[in-house]
Amino acid sequence: MQFFPSSKIFVSFGTLHITWYAVCILTGALLAYILCQRTIQKWGYASALLEDYLFPLLLIGILGARIYYVIFQWGYYSHHVEEIIAIWHGGLAIHGGIIAGLLFSLYYFHRHHVSFLRMFDLIMPNVLLAQAFGRWGNFANQEAYGQIVSASYYRYFPSFIKNQMLIDGYYRQPTFLYESCLNLIGFLLISTIGRKKLYRHRGDCGFMYCVWYGITRFIVEGMRSDSLMIGSFRMAQIISIVAIVIGLLGLKGIFHRIFGWYHKPVILLDVDGTISSSKACVSQIWTDIFEKYRPDIPLTQAQKDSFLGPTVDATIKKYFPNEDGHTIHEMYDALYEKYASQMIMPIPGVEDTLQYLHDNGYFIGVVSNKTTNLIEIDLNLMGIDSCVDCVIGAENMPKPKPSASGLVAACDVLNVGHDDLIYVGDTCQDVQAARNMAAYSIAFSAYSSEKKELLAYDPCRLIHSFHELQDIVQESRSWCDTRIW
């Protein structure tokens, strides 16, 4: 094994070589992948979504980049057919790779019920980082260079750049370096200012990439002396102009209006305190249970209030560690059936609103830390069971709220993606559950006294009347928490 046997080779194993070109491209791709994976987990996706995406994307991207390059250099390759597959000698056109990658991405994410535009936002800014590294592969291969310059041009450059830019006896402009630096700047700007200050529509970060890279490549391409040509025009500059126009139209929201890219959200709801008022019922049930099993504990009002959030099993483990939990749970269910018809009250506006949403084609689900049998009692009592498309109770959740696993499970049952998802709840753990998958969180509070506590968890929206939901769902927007990256 020999490291750095030449300026183009990173390491050699006998006749096998790993080039700097490959190292730079794969390093950039790996960094972009790590950043995407970090964000996508915040959005509630399994890591396998990108794991299964990366390898075929790299193969298809490299193939597309090579085919694009060979097409525009056919005058050479038609006489050197054996060189067509020799990508280790260089000759990958990034525009070909991007086009092939986008086509594969459209297919892949559609197949997995994932919003292409949301992934466009996620991936493309990180592609700029990958491209910044990839250009150093061009440096190692002594390609993507500019016009002839004098030796004095490099007086402020490191010597290793000056030496590598001595090509065929002449110093050349390091256009690879200009583009690498501009790509890095674009990545930083879109990932910070773009996402936080300029993002309005889904797809905007991807369109920012189109504009930034289009301008960057148009300028740098004008300096290069090894451009791919179509007649007397530089092909990269033509593609750059097209990318800039597409990016600007996308940022203005033109495509959203033309193609109807806004989607109806899936609407998921908590139960207790959101669609039904069960506080008095739950309080009475636990009072009866404590009187039988723990008469030594006089329940305070604060303790009674605390029973509404956790699962029944969690409360049993906390207060009755030495008792048969299954027996207590059965008692809880029996008492719930006994008291429900007298003490469960619907939240005003719920029946009308859910009927309206159901009639207008919205998917509606219920996700609660209550068990499914108790949720169904509430829905039947309120006469809204026919409006609800799925119910996820405590026994169906991998983890209770504030985990987002119940929300993801509901989307799986409905066979829909979770890129356009509203979760409505009345507690901080409901807001946190939505945030744990970057869903659009709506905190519902019938009492203004709860407003301050709910706002501390930073929901996307706070409402005091359930009827407000009818107007909210008609807004043209992305139904996710766009602040979470």
Side-chain angles (χ1 to χ4, degrees), residues 273-275 347-350 353 424-426 442-455 459 461-470 472:
T274 302
I275 61 175
I347 297 293
V350 167
T353 298
V424 186
D426 67 305
I442 297 182
F444 171 71
S445 173
Y447 309 100
S448 58
S449 59
E450 300 172 349
K451 179 178 179 180
K452 184 176 180 180
E453 182 181 3
L454 285 169
L455 287 178
R461 191 77 64 92
L462 178 71
I463 61 175
H464 297 293
S465 168
F466 215 82
H467 283 123
E468 293 178 57
L469 195 57
Q470 296 184 33
I472 290 173

Side-chain angles (χ1 to χ4, degrees), residues 47-67:
S47 59
L49 179 68
L50 287 186
E51 290 171 0
D52 296 340
Y53 169 75
L54 178 63
F55 185 67
L57 175 71
L58 283 175
L59 289 180
I60 290 170
I62 291 172
L63 181 62
R66 185 59 172 177
I67 291 173

Side-chain angles (χ1 to χ4, degrees), residues 3 40 70 75 93 159 198 291 305 472:
F3 283 98
I40 211 168
V70 169
S159 59
L198 304 177
E291 285 178 355
D305 292 343
I472 290 173

Side-chain angles (χ1 to χ4, degrees), residues 8-28:
K8 294 185 179 182
I9 297 175
F10 174 69
V11 62
S12 292
F13 302 90
T15 59
L16 176 65
H17 308 298
I18 297 177
T19 65
W20 277 109
Y21 192 68
V23 169
C24 291
I25 289 175
L26 292 176
T27 299

Side-chain angles (χ1 to χ4, degrees), residues 49-152:
L49 179 68
L50 287 186
E51 290 171 0
D52 296 340
Y53 169 75
L54 178 63
F55 185 67
L57 175 71
L58 283 175
L59 289 180
I60 290 170
I62 291 172
L63 181 62
R66 185 59 172 177
I67 291 173
Y68 187 98
Y69 184 84
V70 169
I71 288 173
F72 288 99
Q73 294 282 15
W74 187 242
Y76 171 81
Y77 287 104
S78 62
H79 295 96
H80 301 84
V81 178
E82 74 283 357
E83 283 289 307
I84 290 177
I85 64 171
I87 62 172
W88 51 89
H89 293 159
L92 297 179
I94 186 63
H95 284 136
I98 290 172
I99 293 169
L102 286 174
L103 291 174
F104 171 71
S105 299
L106 277 167
Y107 160 77
Y108 181 87
F109 292 121
H110 175 74
R111 180 185 173 191
H112 287 81
H113 303 291
V114 175
S115 167
F116 169 78
L117 285 180
R118 198 176 188 193
M119 296 301 106
F120 190 48
D121 280 331
L122 170 67
I123 295 169
M124 296 314 292
N126 296 331
V127 168
L128 280 172
L129 180 62
Q131 289 175 252
F133 276 84
R135 279 305 177 201
W136 286 89
N138 296 133
F139 168 70
N141 274 0
Q142 292 185 310
E143 57 190 9
Y145 51 79
Q147 303 295 327
I148 295 172
V149 294
S150 65
S152 62

Side-chain angles (χ1 to χ4, degrees), residues 150-169:
S150 65
S152 62
Y153 186 90
Y154 282 96
R155 61 184 177 276
Y156 299 119
F157 285 81
S159 59
F160 76 94
I161 292 180
K162 177 181 178 181
N163 295 337
Q164 189 70 359
M165 285 293 97
L166 182 61
I167 301 170
D168 297 330

Side-chain angles (χ1 to χ4, degrees), residues 215-231:
I215 294 172
T216 294
R217 187 60 185 271
F218 185 89
I219 294 171
V220 174
E221 194 68 21
M223 303 177 186
R224 286 178 56 170
S225 59
D226 61 344
S227 299
L228 300 178
M229 307 296 290
I230 179 168

